[in-house]
Amino acid sequence: HQMKRINSPSLLVLNHEAEKLPMLWMRGSDAAPGDGKKSSSVPFRFDRVLADVPCSGDGTMRKNVDVWRKWSPGQAQGLHTLQARILTRGVELAEEGGIIVYSTCSMNPIENEAVVATVLRAFPGTLELVDVGHELPLLKRRPGLLTWQVRDRRDETVWWSAFKDVPDRLRQVCPQTMFPPANAAQLHLERCVRVYPHLQDTGAFFICKLRKLPKPDVPKSDPAAADAAPADPAAATDPAPADP
């Protein structure tokens, strides 16, 4: 409904699972309709992608009273995998040099820095966090977190600082991707932006800006590596979470 304000004919609305959004294809420049040449298709990638993902919404509790009654720590843990897959798909659909913005209205690092770190590690050398400290200078913000703990979704007295502390029986619903990575400083997670309500009388929000870099050169002796697609960031260690 917000897109109505743009009043532009160049608008396509899709109703599709974001983490499975299909690749769009367009006719290659070497063929035109009716010229008799065999047409070739090339993937259509986006120069800008906004992944404003489903979240627990704890940052909206000033205006959304239902959050006070319905919120639970398990919501973030249940959404973590989906959020990482949506952001991964956004990166895949972006062109080299393209900008991807990831945002939530949550303050939970499991939904924020943990997701960003997971996707950065899934695209080594081809994705970077952009420093936006000079943008919107009047907006009061705080840097992204480098460390955090993960709480047992059923016992509020139990907190884990590392994946190794999680009991084996809970590792399917509390995977390693929820925890701070050892290279958090090298990933520059502090470049993420946290907006807190008390700073400027607003709601809470999390935003980060990512840039997709060109793929590094691959030695000719390993041609298969050039076509290797980045793996699902959660597939190996992060099975689908249970319902919160």
Side-chain angles (χ1 to χ4, degrees), residues 55-61 64 67 71 75 105-106 111:
C55 68
S56 62
D58 56 32
T60 68
M61 60 176 54
N64 185 2
V67 173
W71 181 89
Q75 292 176 345
C105 49
S106 169
E111 302 180 72

Side-chain angles (χ1 to χ4, degrees), residues 32-224:
D35 64 2
K37 295 182 180 179
K38 183 178 180 180
S39 63
S40 60
S41 296
V42 295
F44 178 86
R45 299 186 186 276
F46 299 90
D47 61 350
R48 299 291 187 271
V49 174
L50 170 61
D52 187 28
V53 301
C55 68
S56 62
D58 56 32
T60 68
M61 60 176 54
R62 294 186 72 185
K63 66 177 182 180
N64 185 2
V65 295
D66 282 346
V67 173
W68 292 89
R69 295 186 293 106
K70 298 179 180 179
W71 181 89
S72 72
Q75 292 176 345
Q77 296 180 11
L79 289 166
H80 171 82
T81 298
L82 174 64
Q83 293 163 335
R85 288 175 175 165
I86 291 175
L87 180 55
T88 296
R89 191 57 181 152
V91 174
E92 292 171 346
L93 293 175
E95 65 182 13
E96 292 183 356
I99 296 296
I100 305 99
V101 171
Y102 176 81
S103 63
T104 73
C105 49
S106 169
M107 289 290 93
N108 195 323
I110 294 175
E111 302 180 72
N112 297 328
E113 287 89 352
V115 171
V116 175
T118 297
V119 176
L120 283 170
R121 286 178 292 169
F123 295 86
T126 60
L127 192 65
E128 67 173 0
L129 267 171
V130 179
D131 186 355
V132 296
H134 63 286
E135 300 184 27
L136 300 175
L138 297 182
L139 176 65
K140 295 181 181 180
R141 82 285 302 270
R142 294 291 183 266
L145 304 178
L146 299 181
T147 61
W148 59 87
Q149 294 180 311
V150 178
R151 208 204 82 168
D152 186 332
R153 63 194 303 170
R154 290 188 171 86
D155 188 345
E156 63 182 17
T157 66
V158 177
W159 293 80
W160 302 299
S161 298
F163 180 65
K164 61 181 178 62
D165 301 325
V166 180
D168 291 342
R169 61 184 176 82
L170 296 177
R171 291 191 173 189
Q172 285 193 336
V173 295
C174 191
Q176 188 169 6
T177 55
M178 291 185 182
F179 290 86
N183 63 338
Q186 287 72 32
L187 296 177
H188 296 293
L189 294 181
E190 76 282 354
R191 293 179 178 175
C192 298
V193 174
R194 289 178 154 264
V195 177
Y196 293 125
H198 65 278
L199 297 177
Q200 285 182 305
D201 193 23
T202 65
F205 212 65
F206 174 90
I207 320 104
C208 75
K209 182 178 179 180
L210 300 138
R211 179 183 293 113
K212 189 173 182 179
L213 305 174
K215 291 182 179 180
D217 293 334
V218 178
K220 294 182 178 180
S221 59
D222 188 12

